[in-house]
Amino acid sequence: MANFSIWEVLFLLCFSVSWPVSIAKSLRTKMVIGKSPIFMSLIILGYIFGIIHKALYSNDIVIWLYVFNAALVSFDLALYYMYIGKNRRELKRQ
């Protein structure tokens, strides 16, 4: 019998679907204006805290959802830094 919360799993699965949508849009449009690197960094920090909690107090398979989500947001943040310079230059030309 699983000792993790189904609600925690559903919460993380919702985010596991949401971040790829954001990533796909960034890859398709190469536009990241409006995204907040501070917000994404705080989300990553939250997932890191979730990973630490799971590792110390409730080590179960759900930890991998935290790791997966942190990786997705980290990739989205990397895209932000990859495209933001070009986006700003294009806005200045307009």
Side-chain angles (χ1 to χ4, degrees), residues 42-53:
L42 287 171
I43 295 297
I44 294 165
L45 185 60
Y47 285 133
I48 291 169
F49 290 152
I51 291 165
I52 292 169
H53 170 78

Side-chain angles (χ1 to χ4, degrees), residues 9-22:
V9 171
L10 291 172
F11 157 74
L12 290 166
L13 286 174
C14 286
F15 279 95
S16 295
V17 172
S18 301
W19 287 112
V21 171
S22 177

Side-chain angles (χ1 to χ4, degrees), residues 29-78:
T29 65
K30 297 184 179 18
M31 288 296 295
V32 294
I33 297 290
K35 289 190 175 191
S36 169
I38 294 171
F39 174 76
M40 288 187 280
S41 297
L42 287 171
I43 295 297
I44 294 165
L45 185 60
Y47 285 133
I48 291 169
F49 290 152
I51 291 165
I52 292 169
H53 170 78
K54 282 296 188 183
L56 294 177
Y57 302 108
S58 182
N59 198 349
D60 54 46
I61 197 163
V62 179
I63 196 170
W64 294 108
L65 286 173
Y66 282 98
V67 170
F68 180 65
N69 278 295
L72 287 173
V73 182
S74 296
F75 185 68
D76 203 17
L77 184 60

